[in-house]
Amino acid sequence: MRANYHTHCLYCDGAASAADMARAARAAGYSALGFSSHAPLPFPTEWNMPSDRLGAYVAEIRGLAARYANEDPPLDILLGLEIDWLEGTRTPGDAIFDQHGLDYRIGSVHFVRLPGAELCTVDCPAAEFAGLFERSGRDGRAIWREYYRDVAALIESGGFDILGHFDVVRKNNADGRYFDEDSPEYLAAAMEAASLLRGRDIVVEINVGAMNRGALDSPYPSLPILRELRRLDVPITFSADAHAPEHFGRHLDAARVLAREAGYAGIVVLDRPGPGGTRAWREVGIDET
Ligand SMILES: [Zn+2]
Ligand SMILES: [Zn+2]
């Protein structure tokens, strides 16, 4: 079963309409497609959905879901949001999203706040990340320390189902140009955050978004982190982090190879709603993806 719960469209920073994304996912062999537009924040950004668009987004995705449910074979379309964790401002479990009856929530850290610097995203364009590095005092450790501190706080805040791109702080660090991803202290910070996932009902994605954008040649998270997640019995799912129709079905081989290398035999997918109207995670073999 091919499923993807990380999909952007024109309501945020995606390049195509929800309808076009659904059509492309179906053509690429998916039987479940979750939309996860960047949820509104209390201030405007170039990639988050404006607050006054949320109602239209919910209605459009539910409408698409109803349409595709009647097709043969049906495509199970789910309504989700990718919600930022931002200290003092937003947590993915915030009750303001309760009224929309979301099928799931992705919790992600994109922003970091360095001392004396304005709010920045770690997955920003390369030139902006170079500026962030300058403001860190040319010490990349300040960036990942802040990032993993926030990931730990996100996990502890809870209220979401899928942890987005565990080590997205690597996005601009191809070839280790800003920090050493193999250093014991970097790995210790990542592992400390990972340890907080033990026993929680949170799924981690193997996310090929940076591969889709040509930024990295490997998925998130890196193999040492994924091995630790396997040891902690944290379930995984495959994620395209699709921002354009051509992103569906790409780099699945890399995701499968990484999952197997870390010791996973299966991933989890969200079942169709049961009698109570609730969805539950179900494991499928990697061969079936
Ligand atoms: Zn994200
Ligand atoms: Zn995303």
Side-chain angles (χ1 to χ4, degrees), residues 6-8 13 36 38 82 106 108 110 165 207 241 243:
H6 199 144
T7 311
H8 299 280
D13 61 346
S36 59
H38 291 289
E82 182 179 11
I106 300 177
S108 294
H110 301 104
H165 39 61
N207 177 315
D241 204 340
H243 284 72

Short mmCIF file of all heavy atoms in Angstrom, two decimals, residues 6-8 13 36 38 82 106 108 110 165 207 241 243, ligand 2:
data_model
loop_
_atom_site.label_atom_id
_atom_site.label_comp_id
_atom_site.label_asym_id
_atom_site.label_seq_id
_atom_site.Cartn_x
_atom_site.Cartn_y
_atom_site.Cartn_z
N HIS A 6 2.24 13.69 3.74
CA HIS A 6 2.92 14.99 3.80
C HIS A 6 2.85 15.63 2.41
O HIS A 6 3.68 15.36 1.54
CB HIS A 6 4.37 14.77 4.25
CG HIS A 6 5.02 16.01 4.77
ND1 HIS A 6 5.91 16.00 5.82
CD2 HIS A 6 4.90 17.30 4.40
CE1 HIS A 6 6.32 17.24 6.06
NE2 HIS A 6 5.73 18.04 5.21
N THR A 7 1.82 16.45 2.22
CA THR A 7 1.51 17.02 0.90
C THR A 7 1.17 18.49 1.05
O THR A 7 0.30 18.86 1.85
CB THR A 7 0.31 16.29 0.27
OG1 THR A 7 0.52 14.87 0.35
CG2 THR A 7 0.10 16.71 -1.18
N HIS A 8 1.81 19.32 0.26
CA HIS A 8 1.51 20.76 0.24
C HIS A 8 0.83 21.11 -1.08
O HIS A 8 0.96 20.40 -2.07
CB HIS A 8 2.80 21.56 0.43
CG HIS A 8 3.46 21.28 1.74
ND1 HIS A 8 3.04 21.86 2.91
CD2 HIS A 8 4.49 20.45 2.07
CE1 HIS A 8 3.80 21.41 3.91
NE2 HIS A 8 4.67 20.55 3.44
N ASP A 13 2.80 26.66 0.44
CA ASP A 13 3.89 26.91 -0.51
C ASP A 13 4.02 25.83 -1.57
O ASP A 13 5.06 25.71 -2.21
CB ASP A 13 5.22 27.08 0.24
CG ASP A 13 5.61 25.82 1.04
OD1 ASP A 13 4.73 24.95 1.22
OD2 ASP A 13 6.77 25.73 1.46
N SER A 36 -1.30 18.21 4.04
CA SER A 36 -0.72 18.76 5.28
C SER A 36 -0.16 20.15 5.03
O SER A 36 1.04 20.39 5.19
CB SER A 36 0.40 17.83 5.77
OG SER A 36 1.41 17.72 4.77
N HIS A 38 0.98 23.92 5.49
CA HIS A 38 1.58 24.60 6.65
C HIS A 38 0.48 25.40 7.35
O HIS A 38 -0.10 26.32 6.78
CB HIS A 38 2.69 25.55 6.21
CG HIS A 38 3.91 24.85 5.69
ND1 HIS A 38 4.76 24.15 6.52
CD2 HIS A 38 4.42 24.73 4.44
CE1 HIS A 38 5.75 23.65 5.79
NE2 HIS A 38 5.57 23.98 4.53
N GLU A 82 0.40 20.48 8.71
CA GLU A 82 1.75 20.48 9.26
C GLU A 82 1.84 21.73 10.14
O GLU A 82 1.77 22.85 9.64
CB GLU A 82 2.81 20.51 8.16
CG GLU A 82 4.24 20.46 8.75
CD GLU A 82 5.35 20.47 7.69
OE1 GLU A 82 5.06 20.72 6.50
OE2 GLU A 82 6.51 20.23 8.07
N ILE A 106 0.82 16.79 11.70
CA ILE A 106 2.27 16.66 11.66
C ILE A 106 2.84 17.79 12.53
O ILE A 106 2.45 18.95 12.36
CB ILE A 106 2.83 16.80 10.22
CG1 ILE A 106 2.25 15.71 9.31
CG2 ILE A 106 4.36 16.75 10.23
CD1 ILE A 106 2.71 15.83 7.85
N SER A 108 6.18 19.90 13.41
CA SER A 108 7.49 20.17 12.81
C SER A 108 8.15 21.37 13.46
O SER A 108 7.48 22.32 13.87
CB SER A 108 7.35 20.47 11.30
OG SER A 108 6.91 19.34 10.59
N HIS A 110 10.60 24.27 12.22
CA HIS A 110 11.28 24.93 11.10
C HIS A 110 12.09 26.13 11.60
O HIS A 110 13.15 26.42 11.11
CB HIS A 110 10.27 25.46 10.06
CG HIS A 110 9.40 24.41 9.45
ND1 HIS A 110 8.08 24.24 9.80
CD2 HIS A 110 9.65 23.47 8.51
CE1 HIS A 110 7.56 23.24 9.11
NE2 HIS A 110 8.49 22.76 8.32
N HIS A 165 10.13 15.55 9.35
CA HIS A 165 11.56 15.67 9.00
C HIS A 165 12.47 15.87 10.22
O HIS A 165 12.95 16.97 10.48
CB HIS A 165 11.80 16.78 7.99
CG HIS A 165 10.98 18.03 8.15
ND1 HIS A 165 11.06 18.81 9.28
CD2 HIS A 165 10.08 18.64 7.35
CE1 HIS A 165 10.25 19.84 9.16
NE2 HIS A 165 9.64 19.75 8.00
N ASN A 207 11.61 10.98 5.21
CA ASN A 207 11.14 12.10 4.40
C ASN A 207 12.16 12.39 3.30
O ASN A 207 13.33 12.64 3.59
CB ASN A 207 10.96 13.30 5.34
CG ASN A 207 10.53 14.58 4.65
OD1 ASN A 207 11.07 14.95 3.62
ND2 ASN A 207 9.58 15.28 5.25
N ASP A 241 6.91 14.59 1.30
CA ASP A 241 6.93 16.04 1.55
C ASP A 241 6.70 16.76 0.21
O ASP A 241 7.45 17.66 -0.18
CB ASP A 241 8.26 16.47 2.19
CG ASP A 241 8.14 17.76 2.99
OD1 ASP A 241 7.17 18.51 2.76
OD2 ASP A 241 9.02 18.01 3.83
N HIS A 243 5.67 18.97 -2.75
CA HIS A 243 5.29 20.36 -3.02
C HIS A 243 4.89 20.53 -4.48
O HIS A 243 4.48 21.62 -4.89
CB HIS A 243 6.44 21.32 -2.69
CG HIS A 243 6.63 21.56 -1.21
ND1 HIS A 243 7.15 20.60 -0.37
CD2 HIS A 243 6.36 22.64 -0.44
CE1 HIS A 243 7.20 21.09 0.87
NE2 HIS A 243 6.72 22.32 0.86
ZN ZN B 2 6.21 19.97 4.67
#
